[in-house]
Amino acid sequence: MHGKPVLLVIAHGSRDPRHAATVHALVRRVRSLRPDVRVETGFLDFNVPSVQGVLESLAAEGVREVVALPLLLTRAFHAKADIPAVLRDAPPQLRIRQAEVLGPSPLLLTALERRLYEAGLTPADKSSTGVVLASAGSTDPEAIAVIADIAREWRHTGWCAVRPAFASAALPRTEDAVRELRALGCTKVAVAPYVLAPGFLPDRIARGAAQADVLADVLGPAPEVARVLVERYDSASLPVLAAASA
């Protein structure tokens, strides 16, 4: 089989139907950016098709090269354990390369700002607005440290202040970060969910944003997010292509 590796986007899955709908919208955008690449979607839990089911179907079709791309913003448990375990159980004729997770990336900061401006802020508000960078949270210290690093980096682009917050497994919570930014004297407080799709934890972030002036939407199918997926695919597929042509 010739041609480019198939891109398999691996999403977590959720009982919330908005999750899968958002994932599919993002994948459609990726397909529009790269019509030369076959893009499939598989879910780890709750939704179909499962990752295993997609891999078995691809193998049955004669596909040999796959780039598996975790639809994750940080290298936490799923990227380090769950997904490699699923990929190890793939049909043996598939050559699979796991791409890097999406974050951190300057494009994701651009997407976060896009969502804040869509929610009503303007670039003129930056210097007087404090932002809560609200992520789902993780028990993985590396993932928590990455969120704190992103908040520090984003602060240097002109916001009054940026504070990380977490919907689970770590502190502070969104509502605590909102109060802290108020106490700092920021004129406005905005909450920017650093999450890809709606669901249980993003809803918790939204509740925590009740006292904020602005709540941005999830990143979802923002064009910058789709571009990050393409970048991760290209980076991962180069060695596969080189090996295939060797």
Side-chain angles (χ1 to χ4, degrees):
M1 293 282 293
H2 297 291
K4 294 182 171 65
V6 171
L7 169 55
L8 173 58
V9 177
I10 300 179
H12 185 274
S14 171
R15 292 187 179 89
D16 188 322
R18 297 173 299 168
H19 173 90
T22 302
V23 170
H24 291 311
L26 175 58
V27 168
R28 284 194 297 273
R29 197 178 278 271
V30 172
R31 288 192 182 114
S32 73
L33 288 176
R34 291 298 299 272
D36 57 321
V37 174
R38 177 174 173 182
V39 187
E40 299 290 343
T41 309
F43 294 91
L44 290 173
D45 210 350
F46 302 117
N47 302 101
V48 291
S50 69
V51 175
Q52 190 67 30
V54 174
L55 291 171
E56 288 169 1
S57 296
L58 290 173
E61 284 181 41
V63 169
R64 291 297 174 262
E65 308 283 354
V66 176
V67 169
L69 199 163
L71 201 56
L72 299 166
L73 293 170
T74 58
R75 267 182 50 75
F77 178 77
H78 293 300
K80 294 176 179 178
D82 280 12
I83 291 173
V86 172
L87 297 180
R88 278 195 296 273
D89 288 338
Q93 61 267 45
L94 291 176
R95 296 183 59 208
I96 303 173
R97 181 171 292 269
Q98 183 174 329
E100 288 298 320
V101 296
L102 303 187
S105 164
L107 284 168
L108 294 177
L109 284 182
T110 305
L112 286 165
E113 295 206 354
R114 169 192 290 276
R115 292 297 187 231
L116 285 169
Y117 296 148
E118 288 169 352
L121 290 179
T122 70
D125 293 318
K126 267 186 118 165
S127 61
S128 59
T129 301
V131 180
V132 178
L133 179 69
S135 85
S138 173
T139 53
D140 187 312
E142 180 190 345
I144 296 300
V146 166
I147 300 299
D149 288 343
I150 293 167
R152 276 194 295 273
E153 179 186 338
W154 203 16
R155 161 72 182 84
H156 295 312
T157 66
W159 296 100
C160 171
V162 180
R163 292 289 185 272
F166 306 95
S168 68
L171 295 173
R173 294 283 181 258
T174 302
E175 52 269 33
D176 299 325
V178 169
R179 278 194 292 269
E180 184 186 346
L181 289 169
R182 288 261 185 249
L184 276 176
C186 298
T187 306
K188 288 184 177 179
V189 176
V191 173
Y194 190 59
V195 291
L196 286 165
F200 175 73
L201 293 176
D203 284 349
R204 183 180 284 176
I205 290 170
R207 289 193 297 273
Q211 300 305 313
D213 301 291
V214 172
L215 170 63
D217 200 357
V218 297
L219 293 169
E224 297 85 2
V225 179
R227 283 170 56 201
V228 177
L229 265 73
V230 170
E231 284 184 359
R232 297 293 183 258
Y233 168 81
D234 286 340
S235 295
S237 61
L238 283 172
V240 175
L241 292 171
S245 61

